[in-house]
Amino acid sequence: MNSSLISKYIPLNTIIHNLDPRVKLFFVICYFIDVFIAHSVGELLILSLFLVLAIILSKTNIAFLIDSVKAILLLIIFTSLVHLIFNKSGNIIFEFYAFKIYSGAFYGIALITVRFVLVVMMMVVFMGTTSPSDITHAIEKSLGFLKKIGIPISTFALVLSISLRFIPTILEETNRIINAQVSRGSDFNEGTLIQKTKKFIPILIPLFIGTLKRADELATAMEVRGYSTTTARSRYKELKYNKLDYLSYMLIILTTIFIVIM
């Protein structure tokens, strides 16, 4: 099971790691929006250059990025087949009886593939350079105004942070259980679909029990440390912007405006 899409935080002393988490969160959100509204080659090239720059400055492992693309390979294949069947724009390139393939289908396949790759790789860079606690802090600071209308944004940020933290742990636990079953002679590739589904029951039961145990231990630890959703929390590290943070804001805002106008 591939966990590259939810990569672990890797503490390094790089420019991207040292950026304010609010900047990185805002940058990633705007970047995803830009990716899905961009259509021209020039716009996608600019977004690709942003990704390459982020990879270089963050010193992200190329193997993680390759694994992340492999993880969405089935999704890319599925969307490509949908385009080949239903996209009727452009000229006819191939025809076999009633089945026809249009030039617009290949353009759509190329566009959606580039979009998926850019989004997934940027997410890997973001998750690898921003700790769950920083993500929580960034959400609380950025959306703190929602508290005034009764939305418990601190609780939401905490739940999101815990989810991001434990997804890789659960995936690793799943891999260990699968390897243990395989060492005992189980083969998850043989049999019909129903038989394969039944073979996953011995995996789901210990995984479910283990997850509940971790959740109970976490709840107990938080209770012992006096955590409360009704009181204001103090922070050891206060977020402060620097010149590079403001420059990052300016770059992504100008890029978004350019893509929207074009």
Side-chain angles (χ1 to χ4, degrees):
M1 185 174 292
N2 199 313
S3 61
S4 59
L5 290 179
I6 314 292
S7 61
K8 290 183 178 179
Y9 169 64
I10 303 174
L12 296 174
N13 186 21
T14 68
I15 294 176
I16 304 299
H17 282 77
N18 295 331
L19 283 175
D20 191 291
R22 292 170 292 179
V23 176
K24 288 187 277 188
L25 183 63
F26 180 80
F27 188 98
V28 167
I29 293 173
C30 290
Y31 186 87
F32 290 171
I33 295 173
D34 293 343
V35 166
F36 283 100
I37 65 176
H39 287 85
S40 68
V41 176
E43 293 169 349
L44 292 173
L45 182 60
I46 292 174
L47 295 173
S48 299
L49 290 176
F50 271 121
L51 175 62
V52 172
L53 185 63
I55 293 171
I56 295 173
L57 294 179
S58 64
K59 299 180 181 179
T60 302
N61 193 327
I62 302 299
F64 288 161
L65 300 174
I66 295 175
D67 287 341
S68 68
V69 175
K70 290 180 180 179
I72 61 167
L73 190 58
L74 289 177
L75 179 61
I76 293 175
I77 293 174
F78 174 75
T79 53
S80 299
L81 292 175
V82 171
H83 273 284
L84 288 175
I85 296 172
F86 297 105
N87 194 325
K88 305 297 182 181
S89 61
N91 301 320
I92 298 176
I93 296 179
F94 177 79
E95 183 175 1
F96 183 75
Y97 292 101
F99 180 69
K100 299 177 182 179
I101 296 179
Y102 294 79
S103 58
F106 291 100
Y107 174 77
I109 291 172
L111 185 61
I112 199 66
T113 300
V114 171
R115 284 173 172 172
F116 280 154
V117 171
L118 291 178
V119 166
V120 169
M121 286 190 173
M122 184 59 77
M123 178 57 73
V124 171
V125 173
F126 173 67
M127 296 299 297
T129 58
T130 314
S131 67
S133 60
D134 283 342
I135 295 175
T136 303
H137 201 178
I139 294 175
E140 289 180 357
K141 286 290 187 180
S142 301
L143 303 178
F145 63 93
L146 294 177
K147 294 180 181 179
K148 297 180 180 179
I149 58 177
I151 298 178
I153 190 62
S154 299
T155 304
F156 168 76
L158 177 66
V159 171
L160 178 62
S161 173
I162 292 174
S163 300
L164 294 175
R165 165 63 183 83
F166 279 96
I167 286 176
T169 303
I170 292 173
L171 291 175
E172 290 178 359
E173 183 69 21
T174 304
N175 281 328
R176 281 196 290 268
I177 296 173
I178 290 176
N179 291 333
Q181 293 292 334
V182 171
S183 66
R184 289 173 173 82
S186 297
D187 190 347
F188 296 96
N189 297 320
E190 292 184 352
T192 63
L193 180 60
I194 297 177
Q195 291 174 339
K196 291 180 180 178
T197 304
K198 290 181 178 180
K199 290 180 180 179
F200 275 94
I201 294 178
I203 296 175
L204 295 177
I205 293 176
L207 181 64
F208 184 71
I209 294 174
T211 302
L212 289 179
K213 183 178 178 181
R214 289 178 185 274
D216 182 65
E217 292 174 350
L218 177 62
T220 302
M222 293 175 66
E223 185 177 356
V224 169
R225 287 169 173 78
Y227 177 80
S228 175
T229 58
T230 58
T231 57
R233 296 180 62 195
S234 60
R235 291 282 180 178
Y236 171 75
K237 179 182 178 182
E238 291 296 331
L239 299 179
K240 293 182 180 180
Y241 290 123
N242 56 40
K243 294 181 180 179
L244 192 58
D245 294 323
Y246 290 117
L247 177 61
S248 300
Y249 270 131
M250 187 182 302
L251 282 175
I252 193 60
I253 291 174
L254 291 177
T255 302
T256 303
I257 293 173
F258 171 78
I259 292 177
V260 170
I261 294 176
M262 296 299 291

